[in-house]
Amino acid sequence: MYKKEVARILIVDDESVNLKLLDKMLSAQGYSNLVLVQDSRQVLEIYRQARTDLILLDINMPHLDGFEVMEQLKALDDPLFPPVVILTAQHGQDFLLRALNSGARDFITKPFYCNELLARVRNMLDAQLMHRMLYDQKAVLNEMVQTRTDELRRTRLQVVQQLGRAAEYRDNETGNHILRMSHISALLAKSIGWNEADCELMLHASPMHDIGKIGIPDHILLKPGKFEPEEWEIMKTHAVIGANILEGDDSELMKCAGEIALTHHEKWDGSGYPYGLSGAAIPLVGRIAALADVFDALTSVRPYKEAWTVEAAVDLIKENRGTHFDPELVAVFLEQLPGILKIRDQFSEPENNA
């Protein structure tokens, strides 16, 4: 039950006599947080100032009648909107139905009968208390669910990052490659208009692009020279292996990572692998990851090659616009090149900042 001295009751009536009478009746029963309003135009602002637990509202008033006041209050879309009890001398069924359909929860007829008034006020306050308790409980449960969801998301993210590092280490590359490549991927996604959540998804999913290399035999994966045709065919299977490793989890993160792993070696002209997809048939996440991956691989030192200059890598990307790479993405890449170079510097190798 509401504590009477705490319950805030807003009483709206253009007749000062009625306000004084209601104040006297309720104050005598211990209700001390009463707000009396004679001008209905002030209700909205007064309501905004502090939480209200109950509204006693006259209908027939100058300026704004009770129906207009209820319309103003309902427009606030307050999830804890208090019950409204109509104060009226009218008894017509149509009038009362209109009041109830407008948002009123109950009504008190004039002249006021003290016991009836107090009973209705008490019942409405008890109902509002239960509503508030359920609302607060729901908020607590939602917070608990969100906390658990965040924990699961962090756990998935840690798994993704650790597996991504494992794949890079097997390939004689460093974790900095996946940092650069993933941040470049996120920058490209942002530049084509993706929202913040999708850009973050790209950032965290793209490090898994080469996870399938875990399944490639060392004598092929670590070979310093050119692959033989049969070795190259085995090497290409890492895309499908990666997708298979990541399948079975319905989270957006893992589904996106699996799609990137499977399609980041497809080419715009259909000459890529594993399925020879072309154009827009290649998922956009795969097209973005491909561009970011190739640029960083070209400009990075590997055991089997020196780092290309930025100019040489950019020239190759331009030459392969519309063959290897999505031409629209290449245009975005060129526009964002200064930001891409900042990412490259930010996550440069400790031993070699080239």
Side-chain angles (χ1 to χ4, degrees):
M1 179 180 294
Y2 262 102
K3 293 181 179 180
K4 294 179 178 179
E5 65 274 12
V6 173
R8 186 173 191 262
I9 303 176
L10 185 60
I11 306 173
V12 186
D13 196 308
D14 65 304
E15 295 288 344
S16 59
V17 173
N18 290 333
L19 290 176
K20 292 178 181 178
L21 177 60
L22 290 166
D23 185 22
K24 182 178 180 180
M25 287 181 175
L26 293 169
S27 296
Q29 295 298 314
Y31 295 100
S32 57
N33 193 4
L34 305 176
V35 182
L36 309 180
V37 181
Q38 190 169 356
D39 188 339
S40 59
R41 293 171 296 184
Q42 299 174 352
V43 174
L44 186 63
E45 183 57 34
I46 291 173
Y47 180 86
R48 284 173 168 158
Q49 292 173 4
R51 188 186 76 191
T52 299
D53 301 301
L54 174 65
I55 300 175
L56 303 181
L57 178 65
D58 188 20
I59 287 293
N60 296 318
M61 297 180 292
H63 308 303
L64 297 174
D65 63 25
F67 297 112
E68 292 170 315
V69 170
M70 283 190 284
E71 185 176 346
Q72 280 189 341
L73 294 175
K74 285 174 65 178
L76 296 175
D77 200 24
D78 184 352
L80 288 173
F81 187 71
V84 176
V85 177
I86 294 299
L87 309 174
T88 180
Q90 300 191 41
H91 300 277
Q93 186 177 22
D94 291 344
F95 174 84
L96 296 177
L97 283 175
R98 182 187 174 192
L100 294 172
N101 289 332
S102 297
R105 297 280 295 280
D106 203 350
F107 60 91
I108 299 173
T109 57
K110 300 177 182 180
F112 305 124
Y113 293 98
C114 185
N115 290 337
E116 178 188 2
L117 170 70
L118 295 174
R120 294 184 185 275
V121 167
R122 182 179 65 250
N123 290 342
M124 288 295 104
L125 286 174
D126 285 348
Q128 180 66 359
L129 175 61
M130 292 302 299
H131 176 50
R132 190 175 298 279
M133 289 174 62
L134 289 172
Y135 181 85
D136 292 342
Q137 183 182 42
K138 181 180 178 181
V140 170
L141 290 174
N142 285 341
E143 184 177 352
M144 292 173 64
V145 169
Q146 186 60 50
T147 299
R148 181 58 177 158
T149 300
D150 290 343
E151 290 175 356
L152 290 172
R153 178 179 172 277
R154 285 193 295 271
T155 299
R156 283 195 179 105
L157 180 55
Q158 289 170 357
V159 170
V160 165
Q161 291 172 337
Q162 290 163 1
L163 285 174
R165 290 192 187 100
E168 298 298 335
Y169 284 127
R170 278 216 67 221
D171 197 24
N172 283 330
E173 296 178 358
T174 73
N176 284 14
H177 166 65
I178 64 173
L179 288 173
R180 292 189 297 269
M181 161 291 165
S182 61
H183 279 81
I184 292 170
S185 295
L187 175 61
L188 293 175
K190 181 179 180 181
S191 301
I192 61 174
W194 287 19
N195 61 41
E196 183 177 351
D198 288 340
C199 290
E200 184 179 1
L201 188 65
M202 190 70 196
L203 174 67
H204 297 317
S206 53
M208 298 291 287
H209 63 289
D210 275 339
I211 185 61
K213 290 181 178 179
I214 290 174
I216 302 300
D218 285 352
H219 73 276
I220 295 176
L221 182 67
L222 305 180
K223 185 176 181 179
K226 185 178 180 181
F227 292 129
E228 297 297 329
E230 63 273 13
E231 292 174 331
W232 177 234
E233 290 304 314
I234 293 173
M235 186 64 187
K236 289 195 295 185
T237 63
H238 82 273
V240 174
I241 292 172
N244 290 339
I245 290 172
L246 298 169
E247 71 179 359
D249 190 312
D250 61 357
S251 71
E252 289 187 4
L253 176 61
M254 299 302 278
K255 287 192 291 187
C256 181
E259 196 168 51
I260 290 171
L262 183 64
T263 64
H264 74 287
H265 284 297
E266 299 286 2
K267 295 182 179 180
W268 186 256
D269 64 1
S271 64
Y273 64 88
Y275 299 127
L277 301 177
S278 63
I282 306 169
L284 185 52
V285 292
R287 285 178 264 156
I288 292 173
L291 188 51
D293 185 37
V294 168
F295 174 75
D296 189 70
L298 290 174
T299 56
S300 299
V301 174
R302 293 291 183 268
Y304 50 85
K305 76 170 187 69
E306 294 295 323
W308 288 31
T309 65
V310 170
E311 292 75 13
V314 170
D315 286 343
L316 182 139
I317 288 172
K318 289 179 179 177
E319 291 169 8
N320 286 271
R321 183 193 333 224
T323 54
H324 188 159
F325 305 112
D326 179 339
E328 293 183 5
L329 280 179
V330 170
V332 173
F333 173 88
L334 296 174
E335 290 174 0
Q336 298 301 320
L337 188 58
I340 291 169
L341 296 181
K342 287 182 180 178
I343 291 171
R344 182 171 172 271
D345 291 340
Q346 181 182 357
F347 299 106
S348 61
E349 305 299 336
E351 301 82 8
N352 187 345
N353 291 332

